[in-house]
Amino acid sequence: MRCRLAELLTAQDLVVELGRDRLRAVDGVSLSIAAGETFGLVGESGCGKTTLARALLGLQGVAAGRITLAGATVTATGRAGRAAVQYVHQDPGAALDPWWRIGATLAEGLTIHGVTDRAEQQARIAEMLAAVGLDPALGARFPHELSGGQQRRIGIARILLLRPRLVILDEPTAGLDLSVQAAVLRLLAALRDRFGLTYLLISHDLGVVRRVCDRIAVMYLGRIVETGAAASLFAAPRHPYTRALLAAAPHLDGRESAAPPLSGDPPSLRAIPGGCRFHPRCPIAIPVCATTAPAVENVTAGHQVACHRWQEESPHA
Ligand SMILES: Nc1ncnc2c1ncn2[C@@H]1O[C@H](COP(=O)(O)OP(=O)(O)OP(=O)(O)O)[C@@H](O)[C@H]1O
Ligand code: SF4
Ligand SMILES: [Mg+2]
């Protein structure tokens, strides 16, 4: 069998249920991340992005579906089967022990992964702090003695020390000033090239995703509604939700958008609408949308969408 080397991580029809009431935070998600690319996952707060990431990491069990890593099925292996996949926490402060000096936290990660020689630990930590643009002397500080941008860099250094292949970056620029955001994104691009990394970048900010991602998946209420190359998704979005997110995103190409703003709060996973989940907020919904969930269809080979009306001329073009 010819191996499709390009695929580093795939998910097929993944379902994740949370809590006693089995809230379906991920409901039939399929995606494929190619080695070396930066794959963006966008969607509003609460749509299931972090839950999906945790399932891909093996930190969260799945109710159904299959995950493969470098061609091997890892769905049932838990975290142990996925050392090559590491996660940069949505809240970098929370991922650092407030009572431990930075250097001790970094050394602990190496110890857990079998690097116990103290001199080797120190050398690798100093090298990695320099790689993320920090003075190795910062290793002597406590987390609260660092700025938000420095904490981000420490979070990145911590997981890169473990030499992962795929790094899941959960909201890597949230809470940072625009200039610090730009610096972090530049750093991530440089690290990707230097260490041959693949990224899954999670964000609710389409501006961030547009700047750095090769391909993008748009998530709504536990499902992926559109996937495509960043260029085609931004140039010709097919799903009304993608269009609405684009219309709402600041700092895009400066063109005025005629799309109406997205109305209402994102609906709750506890009361998922029937038919197309987006229909209560969709500006172009038709009766069938309330009763029948749209299938995922190919717009082109690399561009998929789930909407009954995707083939019609965009009413907002
Ligand atoms: N352990 C849990 N038990 C029950 N429900 C949970 C649990 N963890 C998360 N949820 C719920 O699952 C849904 C999806 O949460 P998730 O954190 O995956 O969203 P998200 O897209 O990452 O949001 P954000 O952009 O705010 O980080 C939310 O409604 C959340 O309240
Ligand atoms: S299927 Fe219907 S409700 Fe859903 S996005 Fe398409 S047009 Fe809107
Ligand atoms: Mg999240």
Side-chain angles (χ1 to χ4, degrees):
M1 192 180 88
R2 266 188 61 197
C3 182
R4 292 173 67 191
L5 281 179
E7 284 176 357
L8 180 57
L9 183 97
T10 70
Q12 255 169 36
D13 303 321
L14 218 56
V15 176
V16 179
E17 296 177 337
L18 297 173
R20 276 203 200 141
D21 43 2
R22 297 172 63 186
L23 194 73
R24 282 204 166 198
V26 175
D27 193 3
V29 163
S30 297
L31 54 82
S32 165
I33 302 174
E37 75 174 341
T38 297
F39 188 97
L41 180 65
V42 289
E44 287 161 295
S45 184
C47 73
K49 303 180 298 295
T50 297
T51 305
L52 173 59
R54 288 175 54 80
L56 298 176
L57 283 155
L59 291 172
Q60 170 70 55
V62 304
R66 193 161 87 104
I67 300 167
T68 67
L69 179 61
T73 300
V74 292
T75 320
T77 61
R79 188 74 197 101
R82 272 165 269 191
V85 187
Q86 296 292 335
Y87 177 70
V88 179
H89 203 279
Q90 187 162 358
D91 176 356
L96 297 170
D97 189 322
W99 307 108
W100 283 32
R101 292 181 198 278
I102 298 300
T105 294
L106 297 178
E108 168 83 350
L110 284 171
T111 302
I112 290 169
H113 286 78
V115 182
T116 51
D117 180 75
R118 184 129 176 85
E120 186 184 349
Q121 285 187 346
Q122 294 313 313
R124 274 169 69 166
I125 289 168
E127 184 195 3
M128 193 52 76
L129 287 176
V132 299
L134 292 177
D135 180 347
L138 284 187
R141 293 205 193 162
F142 289 99
H144 73 270
E145 296 172 324
L146 301 178
S147 70
Q150 287 171 331
Q151 286 189 357
R152 288 278 160 196
R153 287 169 192 261
I154 292 292
I156 294 164
R158 192 164 74 105
I159 58 97
L160 290 190
L161 277 169
L162 310 177
R163 301 187 171 160
R165 295 184 66 187
L166 174 70
V167 178
I168 301 182
L169 300 155
D170 203 346
E171 301 281 1
T173 58
L176 300 176
D177 291 347
L178 279 182
S179 62
V180 183
Q181 277 191 19
V184 167
L185 293 177
R186 277 196 305 275
L187 171 69
L188 288 171
L191 293 170
R192 178 177 85 159
D193 296 344
R194 174 166 172 187
F195 295 108
L197 300 168
T198 302
Y199 289 146
L200 169 57
L201 190 150
I202 298 174
S203 181
H204 62 271
D205 185 341
L206 266 176
V208 166
V209 162
R210 175 186 168 109
R211 262 192 279 173
V212 295
C213 292
D214 303 304
R215 284 194 307 136
I216 293 169
V218 180
M219 193 165 181
Y220 189 79
L221 266 185
R223 291 208 170 143
I224 295 206
V225 296
E226 186 161 13
T227 312
S232 62
L233 210 96
F234 282 105
R238 291 292 183 160
H239 198 285
Y241 181 59
T242 313
R243 285 190 209 125
L245 282 182
L246 275 170
H251 316 298
L252 290 175
D253 60 8
R255 260 190 318 148
E256 283 286 311
S257 170
L262 196 52
S263 59
D265 294 328
S268 165
L269 285 164
R270 295 185 189 281
I272 291 174
C276 171
R277 292 168 181 214
F278 187 56
H279 86 261
R281 300 167 86 192
C282 180
I284 59 165
I286 49 177
V288 70
C289 301
T291 56
T292 310
V296 176
E297 295 182 49
N298 280 337
V299 178
T300 60
H303 187 169
Q304 284 84 37
V305 67
C307 169
H308 292 303
R309 301 189 67 186
W310 74 266
Q311 300 205 52
E312 296 174 31
E313 200 54 39
S314 161
H316 310 306

